[in-house]
Every structure is written in C-alpha cells, then in structure tokens.
Amino acid sequence: MKHVLTCRRYDGDFWDYISRNLLHERVCRYLLDARFYGIYAAGHTTLDHAMITTLVERWRPETHTFYLNFEEVTITLQDVAILYGLPVDGLPMMEIDLTLDPADWQTRMVDLLGWAPIDIDREFKGGNKVKVMYLHLLTDLFKVGQYAWGAATLAILYRYLCRASQKGIRVIGGFLPLLQIWIYERILPLRPQRDPDLLVDE
C-alpha cells in the first residue's frame, strides 16, 4: 500500500458524551448484564492509522493471519474475551431480516424505541448508531448477554481486514480499537512507551 488507510469509527459521539457525563449506575448495571461493560471500562482508544495500515499490509486473507518476519499471528476469540470481556460463546447472531423495506424498519423502531427517524435509509446504512438490522437483538435486555458478541465482532473484523488488504481499498472498518489494543498486547515492539514521569510510585 502506498497510502495510509482511513479508519472508520462509529463510536465518537458515545465517547464525547461519556467525557461530559457519568453513566448512571442503572446503565452500568445493564452494560454488565449485557456483557458490554468491558468496552466502556477500556475507554476511548485513539487509533494509529499508520500502524493499522502496516498490519493490514501483512494480513493474509487465505489464513486470516498477519505474516510477520518472526511468525504468523492472529487475533483469537480468547483475545476478544480477555481484552474486552465480550462473550465468545452463546447464542449466534442470526435472524437478521434484510428483506424489510424502510417503512417496516420504521415500524419496528417505533415498537422498540417509541421513535423512528424520518430518513430511515440514512440511519440504516450506518453513521454512529446501532445499525437497525441488529436492533431486534437488543429487544430483550435480559437476553442480550446470551449472544456471542465477541465471536461476531471478530468475524466482522476479519471480514474488514480481508477487504482492506485488497488492492485499491483505502478504508477499513470493524472494531479497530480491538485490533490496536491487540497489537499493543501481542507485538511488544509496537507498544507505546510509557512516560516515566507519569508513573505512580507504589
């Protein structure tokens, strides 16, 4: 690649909100029950686009591994579970009905949220919101933690890595904070050095 990939993120508004407001303890309880609390606890990660691009250049779609000078490595389900606490076993992320038209999605959103945007097409295609096609998985807040969110997250990241490794692609998506934290944990020479002046004496 002769260019640095643009790293797409969809969580900017969330972290902006969190920087100004503490989450209520009931919301934290729901995050714990849903098994999403690890993402919140890890905090915002500033992405290093150049480093991610360098790793993508070494991604091998046929084996789903990074081919480094010293070995082949990859992000595993264990990494997802340890780094972010996302469940890697449980109910599969299925039953997503892609045949619904925008009016049907609006009806479903009103049923679940009591509100729906006028321009459902724009909301459906992305932005920094939950994609509408996954909304039904959040219907029963007590069941949310039973889904294999970690396995789905890793599968989607693999798909984006495969796509970004193709010639001419300039953008990568997926849960890129996972990729970057994994790089810091598994490829130690790439880990940022800590400022000794900021370390607390024990």
Side-chain angles (χ1 to χ4, degrees), residues 80-147:
V80 178
I82 290 172
L83 295 174
Y84 281 95
L86 291 172
V88 296
D89 56 359
L91 298 174
M93 310 285 289
M94 295 175 44
E95 301 174 13
I96 297 172
D97 188 353
L98 298 175
T99 62
L100 295 177
D101 65 23
D104 293 327
W105 284 115
Q106 282 185 315
T107 300
R108 184 170 284 186
M109 287 184 73
V110 169
D111 290 345
L112 296 175
L113 303 174
W115 172 87
I118 295 170
D119 184 7
I120 193 78
D121 286 331
R122 184 177 61 82
E123 295 294 332
F124 178 77
K125 292 177 183 172
N128 59 1
K129 315 285 188 294
V130 173
K131 288 196 174 185
V132 178
M133 65 183 185
Y134 298 114
L135 193 58
H136 76 283
L137 298 173
L138 305 174
T139 303
D140 183 351
L141 292 178
F142 297 104
K143 190 177 178 182
V144 172
Q146 297 175 18
Y147 288 106

Side-chain angles (χ1 to χ4, degrees), residues 17-83:
Y17 176 83
I18 293 300
S19 70
R20 295 186 310 272
N21 305 278
L22 287 176
L23 288 185
H24 191 278
E25 63 183 59
R26 286 185 298 190
V27 175
C28 290
R29 181 79 252 159
Y30 280 122
L31 289 175
L32 282 166
D33 291 345
R35 299 176 71 185
F36 292 148
Y37 191 81
I39 295 171
Y40 170 69
H44 182 265
T45 301
T46 302
L47 297 178
D48 183 336
H49 296 227
M51 182 173 62
I52 290 172
T53 301
T54 300
L55 259 291
V56 170
E57 289 174 347
R58 297 179 173 275
W59 180 255
R60 298 294 177 260
E62 59 277 1
T63 58
H64 289 155
T65 57
F66 297 104
Y67 187 75
L68 306 178
N69 293 339
F70 50 91
E71 65 181 330
E72 283 188 63
V73 294
T74 196
I75 306 170
T76 65
L77 290 171
Q78 182 181 23
D79 292 318
V80 178
I82 290 172
L83 295 174

Side-chain angles (χ1 to χ4, degrees), residues 142-196:
F142 297 104
K143 190 177 178 182
V144 172
Q146 297 175 18
Y147 288 106
W149 295 101
T153 298
L154 186 59
I156 291 168
L157 182 59
Y158 276 9
R159 185 175 67 193
Y160 276 108
L161 285 165
C162 290
R163 186 179 299 157
S165 66
Q166 297 173 4
K167 187 177 180 178
I169 301 299
R170 296 180 175 270
V171 176
I172 185 170
F175 189 32
L176 296 174
L178 168 63
L179 175 60
Q180 184 155 315
I181 297 301
W182 175 84
I183 292 168
Y184 292 160
E185 290 295 320
R186 300 291 187 210
I187 309 174
L188 298 184
L190 297 179
R191 181 183 288 180
Q193 297 299 312
R194 292 185 178 172
D195 184 344

